[in-house]
Amino acid sequence: MTDRPDYARLFRLDDRRAVVVGAGSGIGRESALALAAHGAQVVCADRDLAAAEETADLGEGMTTYRLDVLDGEAVRNAADELGVVDVLVYTAATNVRKRVLDYADDEFDRVVDLNLRAAFDLVRAFGPGMADRGRGSIIAFSSIRSMTVEPGQGVYAATKAGLVQLLRAAAAELGPRGVRLNAIAPGVVETPLTAPIRAVPEWADAYASKSALGRWSRPDELAGAVVYLASDASSFVTGTQLVVDGGWTAIDGRYTPPM
């Protein structure tokens, strides 16, 4: 009979090193703070180093690293320079809210590059080291838009659906070497990315009413999912998408926004 796990430490991350990409604000900031609170040594990575430093000042023993994920060489260098990484969290994303037929080429490239290509580069850069060590958890943020869309969200939704499939494929390939990859799919969250929506009362109220809980979520309400997927509590969870949407997809929320 195997030894019973110490359930009191199921979510502890002591002696593990986590890199949070996008730690300068929003979900990334709260993820970094939550991981540190559970014992992880956290590197707050962000293109805006000053914002990353603000995050680091809020927690214990956190360090910072300037990283522009749109620079593939910089991503590869980060994997080399940061050394042993047990947990990688990627939160950065962007959106251009336009109907598909109105999209310009550069707008398409901007959304795809940050939401999908950068995630691909991060997995390729940090995955090998984790595989060599036989342990690792890579967590990226998708969206409810990977499953359900609305007018003006087509390209964003395509990148988020693509991200989920990318992580599933990598989970299948790296699973035998001890690396887990999962996505977290939020609903509507109060972040800088959604500020333009919240500035329109009708739009903001409509989104709030579309979830079962009747409100927007806060960035800190996603942090628990990050800790779970980073820890041994999810040791048999890989290649999946954890939906944290306040019941939005359960009740099939729909709103056609102004464009």
Side-chain angles (χ1 to χ4, degrees):
M1 181 177 179
T2 59
D3 293 334
R4 190 176 301 279
D6 181 358
Y7 289 125
R9 298 186 58 80
L10 196 58
F11 292 89
R12 292 299 303 174
L13 296 166
D14 305 282
D15 301 320
R16 298 189 194 180
R17 194 159 191 242
V19 175
V20 180
V21 180
S25 65
I27 296 171
R29 172 169 290 178
E30 301 306 323
S31 297
L33 293 172
L35 292 169
H38 283 78
Q41 302 168 17
V42 178
V43 178
C44 299
D46 203 286
R47 182 176 61 180
D48 185 343
L49 186 58
E53 289 171 345
E54 289 177 8
T55 299
D57 289 342
L58 296 173
E60 294 290 334
M62 296 197 288
T63 59
T64 60
Y65 187 92
R66 186 185 184 282
L67 177 60
D68 181 356
V69 293
L70 296 178
D71 182 341
E73 183 177 357
V75 171
R76 292 187 292 273
N77 289 341
D80 292 335
E81 293 172 5
L82 292 173
V84 175
V85 173
D86 302 295
V87 178
L88 175 68
V89 182
Y90 182 54
T91 68
T94 192
N95 191 11
V96 176
R97 293 177 178 274
K98 284 186 176 181
R99 298 181 188 275
V100 171
L101 298 185
D102 296 330
Y103 246 77
D105 290 350
D106 66 317
E107 292 169 334
F108 179 90
D109 291 341
R110 189 191 323 160
V111 176
V112 171
D113 285 349
L114 185 59
N115 295 4
L116 186 56
R117 177 57 192 253
F120 174 65
D121 287 342
L122 286 164
V123 170
R124 285 196 303 170
F126 286 87
M130 292 181 176
D132 288 344
R133 291 185 294 274
R135 184 178 79 176
S137 175
I138 296 177
I139 305 159
F141 275 79
S142 58
S143 168
I144 57 171
R145 296 305 173 206
S146 68
M147 300 171 284
T148 180
V149 300
E150 68 183 16
Q153 293 271 48
V155 176
Y156 179 83
T159 63
K160 292 303 184 178
L163 174 62
V164 172
Q165 292 300 85
L166 173 67
L167 294 174
R168 284 175 171 161
E173 294 167 1
L174 295 176
R177 302 181 68 184
V179 183
R180 299 183 295 111
L181 297 96
N182 293 286
I184 297 173
V188 290
V189 189
E190 296 174 352
T191 68
L193 182 64
T194 60
I197 299 174
R198 289 180 283 114
V200 181
E202 178 189 0
W203 199 350
D205 293 344
Y207 272 10
S209 70
K210 297 305 178 183
S211 74
L213 298 181
R215 63 177 177 84
W216 286 61
S217 66
R218 304 182 309 272
D220 63 275
E221 293 181 296
L222 280 299
V226 174
V227 172
Y228 166 67
L229 290 174
S231 71
D232 289 341
S234 63
S235 60
F236 203 61
V237 178
T238 193
T240 194
Q241 178 170 232
L242 176 57
V243 179
V244 187
D245 69 349
W248 179 298
T249 50
I251 62 175
D252 194 23
R254 166 66 195 275
Y255 172 64
T256 300
M259 280 181 288

